[in-house]
Amino acid sequence: MAGQHKISVRDMNVWFSDKQVIHSLNIDIPSNEIISVLGPANSGITTLLRSLNRLSDLNPAMRVEGEILLDGNNIRDVSVTELRRKVGMVFDVPTPLPISIFDNIAYGPRLSGTKNMKNLTGIVEQSLREAALWDDVKDRLYTPAMSLSGGQQQRLCIARVLALKPEVILLDRPCSGLDPLSTAKIEESLKNLKAQFTIIIAPHNVQQASRVSDHIAFMLMGHLVEHGTAEKILTNPKDQRTNDYLTGRFG
Amino acid sequence: MMKGSSRVTENIIKTLIWAAALSVLTVLVVIIAYILIRGLPVISWQFLTEIPRNMGRSGGISSTIVGTLMVTLVAIVIATPFGIGTAFYLAEYTRRDSMVTRVIRFSAESLAGIPSIVYGLFGFIFFVKYLGMGWSVLSGGLTLAIMILPTIIRTSEEAILAVPNLYREVSYSLGGTKWQTIVKTVLPSAIRGIANGVILSVGRCVAETAAVVLTAGSALRMTTSLTSPTRTMAVHFYILASEAISFENAYGTAALLIILIFLINVVANTLINRFIAKGR
């Protein structure tokens, strides 16, 4: 049963200090597909994503209860660094570290002990190609990553996650500050990547969700309202609230 | 009417601020120029390379240059690791409002406000007498290390806290441990601020008189080891002037002190830009 799903979330409750931000959430996420977690601000989507790679551990006020299974194994049972290498994350603003493009991509592999320069060069090139950034930066790998444009920086962040050889990629509104052309490029890369990875994205609007998703989950105020195939949710949602959100009545 | 009067106010304030900045600059330039004008003619190859003779009336000041550098070096080598370590503890390993953090921060701030003569007295009683280290480079260096510790802690902590939290999250999200995150991301981003604090402390060590004269002594011969007494340039200057031994050589020493501090700043900044802050 669990084997078919990449990630299974069971009875997840999350508190931020005294405030409950996610209420008894259950969801199965299939492999090699793009699932969008859609909803207005403060729905608990970021919290959900950050719980999946235990980045929530960094915040002492955050308490996560319930089970999260990755390939059937509880994520609390593996080492947190190993988990984060398997479940990579791209943030809502581009976050290049203030080092060169090469060093940004090589950051993860180096942490896990890859020192050989030939191997690193290979990983960097492959990751940048997969993120469709190689042609833009191949002649200036050793220049500061901060000098790239916003869209390039975000693709750099995707490449940096790919360099980890992850199994799951979380993207938290990755295009929220980007122009339409950069957004299109990133969406294109995501579609190419889903053959190898399971992708969970918080899209920045309904249109993006409809463009990239195989599955869509709709969240509202910490509750998972419904989820299903993109086609079903977009054309025939069961819940009135989902329908209202999709048609722009709120949110 | 309103518009006119607010523009007048604006201009008056602008003038006052300009005047304040200008007067500070003038005072600074006058002091430095005066010392350099009186001191530079004294400086010669002989002044730099010979040890003081006849209580400093003649000869050079080479032994005090060596003494200054040695005492400062000891202080920096000891205070820097402790200071940076404490700063990382405060900024990364405890919660900002915890009791331990508050006690350490309060102690550091109190230490920063103590007059240097008190450090000198403490160093004299503790290092020189109680531990029997005598007047020595080591006693002086240790005393200065305690004196500059608060500066290094505070500047380093500020530099560490100024590193965007996002950098830490990125490092963790890429599978970094806490230690890897600190060494590979936080430290390189904070290093310029930390280095500035250390440079500031070097300046204070080089210029310190009261704390050093009580702990390193005022011996004029060339220092040969960490356990022998020495005299720093600032102490030499103070004794030459206060005992009216030689104002000429006092100004020479002061001019050299200013040049030395200037050089330390230039060299340190060049090194930081060249090696540490590369690509940032």
Side-chain angles (χ1 to χ4, degrees):
Chain A
M1 253 280 284
Q4 301 164 355
H5 304 300
K6 191 69 196 169
I7 291 179
S8 299
V9 179
R10 298 268 169 270
D11 285 323
M12 184 199 218
N13 286 289
V14 182
W15 282 267
F16 186 79
S17 295
D18 297 333
K19 190 169 170 269
Q20 188 163 9
V21 290
I22 289 185
H23 301 264
S24 51
L25 186 143
N26 285 284
I27 192 170
D28 291 320
I29 292 166
S31 302
N32 299 95
E33 292 197 354
I34 300 179
I35 176 164
S36 288
V37 187
L38 198 58
N42 289 322
S43 296
I45 296 169
T46 297
T47 306
L48 171 65
L49 294 191
R50 292 172 73 100
S51 303
L52 296 182
N53 68 350
R54 287 177 60 188
L55 218 52
S56 52
D57 289 9
L58 298 182
N59 189 337
M62 192 90 85
R63 201 169 89 245
V64 181
E65 282 180 5
E67 272 192 332
I68 301 170
L69 306 175
L70 176 68
D71 292 323
N73 302 313
N74 194 321
I75 62 166
R76 298 262 153 208
D77 296 338
V78 295
S79 87
V80 67
T81 52
E82 196 184 318
L83 172 73
R84 288 180 186 149
R85 278 199 293 275
K86 280 188 184 167
V87 184
M89 180 151 202
V90 177
F91 296 85
D92 55 347
V93 287
T95 52
L97 293 170
I99 44 183
S100 72
I101 295 170
F102 185 95
D103 288 339
N104 260 283
I105 311 290
Y107 192 90
R110 277 177 176 148
L111 289 181
S112 53
T114 310
K115 296 266 188 291
N116 184 308
M117 207 52 197
K118 210 174 132 202
N119 292 349
L120 282 176
T121 313
I123 294 173
V124 169
E125 177 173 348
Q126 194 198 344
S127 309
L128 285 169
R129 280 189 191 282
E130 285 175 343
L133 190 59
W134 175 251
D135 290 331
D136 296 25
V137 301
K138 62 183 176 200
D139 300 323
R140 45 177 175 142
L141 289 176
Y142 300 98
T143 56
M146 294 285 195
S147 65
L148 297 172
S149 75
Q152 290 172 327
Q153 287 185 8
Q154 197 58 301
R155 276 182 282 153
L156 175 91
C157 294
I158 294 176
R160 192 169 60 187
V161 166
L162 295 177
L164 299 171
K165 312 266 179 231
E167 296 170 10
V168 180
I169 303 174
L170 310 171
L171 302 107
D172 186 5
R173 299 179 209 272
C175 305
S176 51
L178 302 185
D179 59 279
L181 210 65
S182 306
T183 304
K185 277 187 178 168
I186 287 177
E187 288 173 3
E188 198 53 44
S189 335
L190 292 182
K191 283 182 196 163
N192 293 330
L193 291 170
K194 74 174 178 184
Q196 304 172 57
F197 309 100
T198 301
I199 297 173
I200 305 175
I201 179 172
H204 68 287
N205 56 29
V206 177
Q207 288 75 18
Q208 183 170 50
S210 69
R211 285 193 301 266
V212 300
S213 324
D214 299 306
H215 275 74
I216 293 179
F218 177 65
M219 282 185 75
L220 189 62
M221 306 188 61
H223 295 273
L224 178 64
V225 176
E226 65 177 306
H227 66 104
T229 60
E231 198 192 341
K232 186 172 149 272
I233 297 287
L234 290 171
T235 56
N236 189 20
K238 268 187 293 187
D239 198 288
Q240 185 58 37
R241 291 170 294 177
T242 314
N243 193 41
D244 287 349
Y245 181 75
L246 292 175
T247 51
R249 254 178 228 136
F250 74 95
Chain B
M1 184 60 203
M2 251 337 261
K3 226 173 185 175
S5 76
S6 77
R7 189 177 299 152
V8 170
T9 320
E10 193 71 16
N11 283 333
I12 291 175
I13 290 174
K14 207 188 263 179
T15 315
L16 286 175
I17 290 173
W18 264 98
L22 199 67
S23 39
V24 168
L25 197 69
T26 313
V27 170
L28 205 69
V29 169
V30 166
I31 292 175
I32 292 177
Y34 184 74
I35 292 171
L36 289 181
I37 288 167
R38 294 207 48 179
L40 282 181
V42 182
I43 298 175
S44 62
W45 182 244
Q46 187 197 19
F47 190 70
L48 293 175
T49 53
E50 283 186 8
I51 65 165
R53 279 195 309 260
N54 199 3
M55 296 301 288
R57 268 181 207 93
S58 54
I61 59 164
S62 64
S63 62
T64 69
I65 299 175
V66 173
T68 304
L69 295 178
M70 283 178 76
V71 170
T72 304
L73 194 69
V74 169
I76 294 296
V77 165
I78 292 170
T80 304
F82 281 103
I84 296 179
T86 308
F88 269 105
Y89 176 75
L90 289 176
E92 298 284 341
Y93 283 91
T94 55
R95 292 178 65 172
R96 274 194 74 70
D97 49 355
S98 80
M99 197 59 198
V100 191
T101 322
R102 288 220 301 265
V103 168
I104 296 178
R105 198 170 285 121
F106 181 75
S107 317
E109 270 162 27
S110 307
L111 277 176
I114 295 174
S116 60
I117 186 78
V118 177
Y119 286 102
L121 215 55
F122 169 78
F124 177 73
I125 294 166
F126 188 68
F127 297 121
V128 177
K129 289 292 168 194
Y130 182 72
L131 294 183
M133 293 157 82
W135 283 318
S136 61
V137 171
L138 204 56
S139 300
L142 285 168
T143 308
L144 287 182
I146 299 173
M147 190 183 82
I148 60 174
L149 208 49
T151 311
I152 296 186
I153 293 174
R154 286 187 61 177
T155 48
S156 302
E157 193 194 355
E158 269 160 38
I160 294 165
L161 290 175
V163 176
N165 213 20
L166 218 49
Y167 291 178
R168 297 181 182 88
E169 291 197 338
V170 167
S171 178
Y172 286 126
S173 77
L174 294 171
T177 61
K178 179 150 203 156
W179 178 240
Q180 288 172 324
T181 300
I182 288 176
V183 171
K184 291 181 182 251
T185 296
V186 182
L187 184 62
S189 302
I191 194 79
R192 187 187 286 270
I194 293 174
N196 278 338
V198 174
I199 294 168
L200 202 72
S201 305
V202 170
R204 283 189 61 196
C205 288
V206 170
E208 182 54 40
T209 319
V212 185
V213 71
L214 289 171
T215 51
S218 56
L220 280 172
R221 62 176 181 276
M222 184 61 83
T223 314
T224 47
S225 73
L226 291 177
T227 51
S228 48
T230 190
R231 180 187 285 201
T232 65
M233 291 162 75
V235 170
H236 188 55
F237 167 81
Y238 171 73
I239 292 175
L240 289 185
S242 66
E243 294 177 11
I245 294 170
S246 164
F247 279 102
E248 205 186 29
N249 285 348
Y251 276 112
T253 311
L256 206 59
L257 204 58
I258 290 175
I259 296 170
L260 185 68
I261 291 174
F262 179 75
L263 279 180
I264 289 172
N265 271 296
V266 170
V267 169
N269 275 318
T270 316
L271 287 179
I272 293 172
N273 287 336
R274 189 78 172 276
F275 296 107
I276 304 175
K278 217 173 167 189
R280 269 158 211 283

